[in-house]
PDB file of all heavy atoms in Angstrom:
ATOM      1  N   ALA K 786      23.984  -2.837  47.119  1.00 93.00           N
ATOM      2  CA  ALA K 786      23.781  -2.142  45.849  1.00 93.00           C
ATOM      3  C   ALA K 786      24.050  -3.072  44.674  1.00 93.00           C
ATOM      4  O   ALA K 786      23.329  -3.046  43.671  1.00 93.00           O
ATOM      5  CB  ALA K 786      24.679  -0.919  45.772  1.00 93.00           C
ATOM      6  N   LEU K 787      25.077  -3.905  44.801  1.00 92.00           N
ATOM      7  CA  LEU K 787      25.392  -4.862  43.741  1.00 92.00           C
ATOM      8  C   LEU K 787      24.260  -5.873  43.570  1.00 92.00           C
ATOM      9  O   LEU K 787      23.876  -6.206  42.449  1.00 92.00           O
ATOM     10  CB  LEU K 787      26.700  -5.581  44.050  1.00 92.00           C
ATOM     11  CG  LEU K 787      27.168  -6.608  43.030  1.00 92.00           C
ATOM     12  CD1 LEU K 787      27.445  -5.930  41.704  1.00 92.00           C
ATOM     13  CD2 LEU K 787      28.409  -7.316  43.533  1.00 92.00           C
ATOM     14  N   GLY K 788      23.715  -6.346  44.676  1.00 92.00           N
ATOM     15  CA  GLY K 788      22.592  -7.287  44.608  1.00 92.00           C
ATOM     16  C   GLY K 788      21.367  -6.666  43.949  1.00 92.00           C
ATOM     17  O   GLY K 788      20.708  -7.292  43.116  1.00 92.00           O
ATOM     18  N   ARG K 789      21.072  -5.407  44.314  1.00 94.00           N
ATOM     19  CA  ARG K 789      19.936  -4.723  43.693  1.00 94.00           C
ATOM     20  C   ARG K 789      20.163  -4.514  42.199  1.00 94.00           C
ATOM     21  O   ARG K 789      19.266  -4.716  41.386  1.00 94.00           O
ATOM     22  CB  ARG K 789      19.677  -3.387  44.390  1.00 94.00           C
ATOM     23  CG  ARG K 789      19.064  -3.540  45.776  1.00 94.00           C
ATOM     24  CD  ARG K 789      18.633  -2.198  46.352  1.00 94.00           C
ATOM     25  NE  ARG K 789      19.746  -1.257  46.492  1.00 94.00           N
ATOM     26  CZ  ARG K 789      20.572  -1.210  47.518  1.00 94.00           C
ATOM     27  NH1 ARG K 789      20.430  -2.071  48.518  1.00 94.00           N
ATOM     28  NH2 ARG K 789      21.542  -0.312  47.568  1.00 94.00           N
ATOM     29  N   ALA K 790      21.381  -4.132  41.836  1.00 93.00           N
ATOM     30  CA  ALA K 790      21.695  -3.924  40.418  1.00 93.00           C
ATOM     31  C   ALA K 790      21.578  -5.235  39.635  1.00 93.00           C
ATOM     32  O   ALA K 790      21.083  -5.249  38.508  1.00 93.00           O
ATOM     33  CB  ALA K 790      23.089  -3.333  40.264  1.00 93.00           C
ATOM     34  N   ALA K 791      22.034  -6.326  40.236  1.00 93.00           N
ATOM     35  CA  ALA K 791      21.927  -7.628  39.565  1.00 93.00           C
ATOM     36  C   ALA K 791      20.460  -8.011  39.388  1.00 93.00           C
ATOM     37  O   ALA K 791      20.071  -8.547  38.340  1.00 93.00           O
ATOM     38  CB  ALA K 791      22.662  -8.695  40.361  1.00 93.00           C
ATOM     39  N   GLY K 792      19.629  -7.734  40.397  1.00 92.00           N
ATOM     40  CA  GLY K 792      18.195  -8.008  40.280  1.00 92.00           C
ATOM     41  C   GLY K 792      17.549  -7.180  39.188  1.00 92.00           C
ATOM     42  O   GLY K 792      16.732  -7.684  38.406  1.00 92.00           O
ATOM     43  N   GLU K 793      17.916  -5.899  39.115  1.00 93.00           N
ATOM     44  CA  GLU K 793      17.384  -5.038  38.065  1.00 93.00           C
ATOM     45  C   GLU K 793      17.833  -5.511  36.684  1.00 93.00           C
ATOM     46  O   GLU K 793      17.053  -5.500  35.732  1.00 93.00           O
ATOM     47  CB  GLU K 793      17.823  -3.593  38.285  1.00 93.00           C
ATOM     48  CG  GLU K 793      17.167  -2.927  39.460  1.00 93.00           C
ATOM     49  CD  GLU K 793      17.722  -1.530  39.714  1.00 93.00           C
ATOM     50  OE1 GLU K 793      18.464  -0.999  38.862  1.00 93.00           O
ATOM     51  OE2 GLU K 793      17.394  -0.972  40.776  1.00 93.00           O
ATOM     52  N   ALA K 794      19.087  -5.935  36.585  1.00 92.00           N
ATOM     53  CA  ALA K 794      19.610  -6.406  35.302  1.00 92.00           C
ATOM     54  C   ALA K 794      18.882  -7.674  34.846  1.00 92.00           C
ATOM     55  O   ALA K 794      18.548  -7.812  33.668  1.00 92.00           O
ATOM     56  CB  ALA K 794      21.108  -6.665  35.402  1.00 92.00           C
ATOM     57  N   SER K 795      18.617  -8.586  35.773  1.00 92.00           N
ATOM     58  CA  SER K 795      17.916  -9.813  35.380  1.00 92.00           C
ATOM     59  C   SER K 795      16.482  -9.489  34.974  1.00 92.00           C
ATOM     60  O   SER K 795      15.951 -10.080  34.031  1.00 92.00           O
ATOM     61  CB  SER K 795      17.946 -10.838  36.501  1.00 92.00           C
ATOM     62  OG  SER K 795      17.191 -10.385  37.611  1.00 92.00           O
ATOM     63  N   GLY K 796      15.856  -8.529  35.655  1.00 90.00           N
ATOM     64  CA  GLY K 796      14.512  -8.100  35.262  1.00 90.00           C
ATOM     65  C   GLY K 796      14.515  -7.460  33.888  1.00 90.00           C
ATOM     66  O   GLY K 796      13.612  -7.696  33.067  1.00 90.00           O
ATOM     67  N   ALA K 797      15.531  -6.658  33.615  1.00 88.00           N
ATOM     68  CA  ALA K 797      15.636  -6.011  32.303  1.00 88.00           C
ATOM     69  C   ALA K 797      15.871  -7.049  31.207  1.00 88.00           C
ATOM     70  O   ALA K 797      15.305  -6.946  30.120  1.00 88.00           O
ATOM     71  CB  ALA K 797      16.764  -4.989  32.311  1.00 88.00           C
ATOM     72  N   ARG K 798      16.700  -8.066  31.512  1.00 88.00           N
ATOM     73  CA  ARG K 798      16.923  -9.122  30.526  1.00 88.00           C
ATOM     74  C   ARG K 798      15.632  -9.881  30.215  1.00 88.00           C
ATOM     75  O   ARG K 798      15.358 -10.218  29.065  1.00 88.00           O
ATOM     76  CB  ARG K 798      17.989 -10.099  31.016  1.00 88.00           C
ATOM     77  CG  ARG K 798      19.412  -9.632  30.805  1.00 88.00           C
ATOM     78  CD  ARG K 798      20.383 -10.787  30.936  1.00 88.00           C
ATOM     79  NE  ARG K 798      21.519 -10.667  31.778  1.00 88.00           N
ATOM     80  CZ  ARG K 798      21.639 -10.219  33.021  1.00 88.00           C
ATOM     81  NH1 ARG K 798      20.622  -9.791  33.656  1.00 88.00           N
ATOM     82  NH2 ARG K 798      22.781 -10.178  33.656  1.00 88.00           N
ATOM     83  N   ALA K 799      14.863 -10.150  31.255  1.00 87.00           N
ATOM     84  CA  ALA K 799      13.590 -10.859  31.055  1.00 87.00           C
ATOM     85  C   ALA K 799      12.636 -10.008  30.223  1.00 87.00           C
ATOM     86  O   ALA K 799      11.955 -10.515  29.320  1.00 87.00           O
ATOM     87  CB  ALA K 799      12.967 -11.201  32.401  1.00 87.00           C
ATOM     88  N   ALA K 800      12.560  -8.703  30.519  1.00 83.00           N
ATOM     89  CA  ALA K 800      11.686  -7.821  29.746  1.00 83.00           C
ATOM     90  C   ALA K 800      12.151  -7.736  28.304  1.00 83.00           C
ATOM     91  O   ALA K 800      11.335  -7.752  27.375  1.00 83.00           O
ATOM     92  CB  ALA K 800      11.656  -6.432  30.382  1.00 83.00           C
ATOM     93  N   LEU K 801      13.454  -7.659  28.099  1.00 79.00           N
ATOM     94  CA  LEU K 801      13.988  -7.596  26.743  1.00 79.00           C
ATOM     95  C   LEU K 801      13.673  -8.870  25.972  1.00 79.00           C
ATOM     96  O   LEU K 801      13.313  -8.817  24.795  1.00 79.00           O
ATOM     97  CB  LEU K 801      15.497  -7.367  26.798  1.00 79.00           C
ATOM     98  CG  LEU K 801      16.209  -7.161  25.471  1.00 79.00           C
ATOM     99  CD1 LEU K 801      15.646  -5.953  24.743  1.00 79.00           C
ATOM    100  CD2 LEU K 801      17.696  -6.981  25.713  1.00 79.00           C
ATOM    101  N   ALA K 802      13.782 -10.012  26.631  1.00 79.00           N
ATOM    102  CA  ALA K 802      13.455 -11.276  25.976  1.00 79.00           C
ATOM    103  C   ALA K 802      11.975 -11.323  25.603  1.00 79.00           C
ATOM    104  O   ALA K 802      11.604 -11.815  24.533  1.00 79.00           O
ATOM    105  CB  ALA K 802      13.810 -12.447  26.886  1.00 79.00           C
ATOM    106  N   ALA K 803      11.120 -10.768  26.475  1.00 78.00           N
ATOM    107  CA  ALA K 803       9.688 -10.751  26.180  1.00 78.00           C
ATOM    108  C   ALA K 803       9.377  -9.851  24.985  1.00 78.00           C
ATOM    109  O   ALA K 803       8.502 -10.155  24.175  1.00 78.00           O
ATOM    110  CB  ALA K 803       8.915 -10.285  27.404  1.00 78.00           C
ATOM    111  N   PHE K 804      10.119  -8.732  24.871  1.00 76.00           N
ATOM    112  CA  PHE K 804       9.883  -7.805  23.769  1.00 76.00           C
ATOM    113  C   PHE K 804      10.559  -8.246  22.478  1.00 76.00           C
ATOM    114  O   PHE K 804      10.289  -7.683  21.420  1.00 76.00           O
ATOM    115  CB  PHE K 804      10.375  -6.406  24.132  1.00 76.00           C
ATOM    116  CG  PHE K 804       9.510  -5.708  25.137  1.00 76.00           C
ATOM    117  CD1 PHE K 804      10.071  -5.181  26.286  1.00 76.00           C
ATOM    118  CD2 PHE K 804       8.149  -5.584  24.944  1.00 76.00           C
ATOM    119  CE1 PHE K 804       9.285  -4.542  27.220  1.00 76.00           C
ATOM    120  CE2 PHE K 804       7.350  -4.941  25.873  1.00 76.00           C
ATOM    121  CZ  PHE K 804       7.919  -4.416  27.014  1.00 76.00           C
ATOM    122  N   GLY K 805      11.429  -9.226  22.560  1.00 73.00           N
ATOM    123  CA  GLY K 805      12.153  -9.691  21.381  1.00 73.00           C
ATOM    124  C   GLY K 805      11.246 -10.215  20.286  1.00 73.00           C
ATOM    125  O   GLY K 805      11.583 -10.116  19.101  1.00 73.00           O
ATOM    126  N   GLY K 806      10.103 -10.729  20.636  1.00 76.00           N
ATOM    127  CA  GLY K 806       9.185 -11.287  19.657  1.00 76.00           C
ATOM    128  C   GLY K 806       8.326 -10.257  18.951  1.00 76.00           C
ATOM    129  O   GLY K 806       7.515 -10.611  18.093  1.00 76.00           O
ATOM    130  N   LEU K 807       8.471  -8.996  19.267  1.00 78.00           N
ATOM    131  CA  LEU K 807       7.622  -7.967  18.673  1.00 78.00           C
ATOM    132  C   LEU K 807       8.080  -7.520  17.290  1.00 78.00           C
ATOM    133  O   LEU K 807       7.370  -6.795  16.618  1.00 78.00           O
ATOM    134  CB  LEU K 807       7.522  -6.757  19.606  1.00 78.00           C
ATOM    135  CG  LEU K 807       6.826  -7.025  20.931  1.00 78.00           C
ATOM    136  CD1 LEU K 807       6.853  -5.781  21.796  1.00 78.00           C
ATOM    137  CD2 LEU K 807       5.395  -7.483  20.720  1.00 78.00           C
ATOM    138  N   GLY K 808       9.262  -7.919  16.883  1.00 77.00           N
ATOM    139  CA  GLY K 808       9.694  -7.632  15.522  1.00 77.00           C
ATOM    140  C   GLY K 808      10.698  -6.508  15.409  1.00 77.00           C
ATOM    141  O   GLY K 808      11.014  -5.816  16.372  1.00 77.00           O
ATOM    142  N   PRO K 809      11.195  -6.313  14.184  1.00 76.00           N
ATOM    143  CA  PRO K 809      12.238  -5.307  13.954  1.00 76.00           C
ATOM    144  C   PRO K 809      11.750  -3.867  14.134  1.00 76.00           C
ATOM    145  O   PRO K 809      12.518  -2.982  14.487  1.00 76.00           O
ATOM    146  CB  PRO K 809      12.690  -5.557  12.522  1.00 76.00           C
ATOM    147  CG  PRO K 809      11.630  -6.374  11.897  1.00 76.00           C
ATOM    148  CD  PRO K 809      10.908  -7.089  12.996  1.00 76.00           C
ATOM    149  N   GLN K 810      10.452  -3.609  13.877  1.00 84.00           N
ATOM    150  CA  GLN K 810       9.932  -2.253  14.050  1.00 84.00           C
ATOM    151  C   GLN K 810      10.076  -1.825  15.514  1.00 84.00           C
ATOM    152  O   GLN K 810      10.428  -0.686  15.807  1.00 84.00           O
ATOM    153  CB  GLN K 810       8.458  -2.133  13.645  1.00 84.00           C
ATOM    154  CG  GLN K 810       8.156  -2.578  12.246  1.00 84.00           C
ATOM    155  CD  GLN K 810       7.801  -4.063  12.169  1.00 84.00           C
ATOM    156  OE1 GLN K 810       8.036  -4.824  13.104  1.00 84.00           O
ATOM    157  NE2 GLN K 810       7.259  -4.464  11.028  1.00 84.00           N
ATOM    158  N   PHE K 811       9.785  -2.750  16.398  1.00 82.00           N
ATOM    159  CA  PHE K 811       9.897  -2.432  17.818  1.00 82.00           C
ATOM    160  C   PHE K 811      11.350  -2.171  18.189  1.00 82.00           C
ATOM    161  O   PHE K 811      11.642  -1.269  18.976  1.00 82.00           O
ATOM    162  CB  PHE K 811       9.325  -3.564  18.679  1.00 82.00           C
ATOM    163  CG  PHE K 811       9.436  -3.268  20.141  1.00 82.00           C
ATOM    164  CD1 PHE K 811       8.557  -2.396  20.743  1.00 82.00           C
ATOM    165  CD2 PHE K 811      10.433  -3.842  20.903  1.00 82.00           C
ATOM    166  CE1 PHE K 811       8.662  -2.098  22.089  1.00 82.00           C
ATOM    167  CE2 PHE K 811      10.553  -3.556  22.251  1.00 82.00           C
ATOM    168  CZ  PHE K 811       9.662  -2.676  22.841  1.00 82.00           C
ATOM    169  N   GLY K 812      12.263  -2.927  17.617  1.00 79.00           N
ATOM    170  CA  GLY K 812      13.678  -2.718  17.883  1.00 79.00           C
ATOM    171  C   GLY K 812      14.129  -1.324  17.482  1.00 79.00           C
ATOM    172  O   GLY K 812      14.869  -0.661  18.204  1.00 79.00           O
TER     173      GLY K 812
END
């Protein structure tokens, strides 16, 4: 479960980094 959660967290971080360039409106 810890391994799966860590994988999900890294995926979420990557998605968040990708969305970071969309600007303050998106935030």
Side-chain angles (χ1 to χ4, degrees):
L787 180 63
R789 287 188 300 276
E793 289 175 11
S795 67
R798 279 196 230 47
L801 185 60
F804 287 127
L807 295 177
Q810 304 90 345
F811 180 77

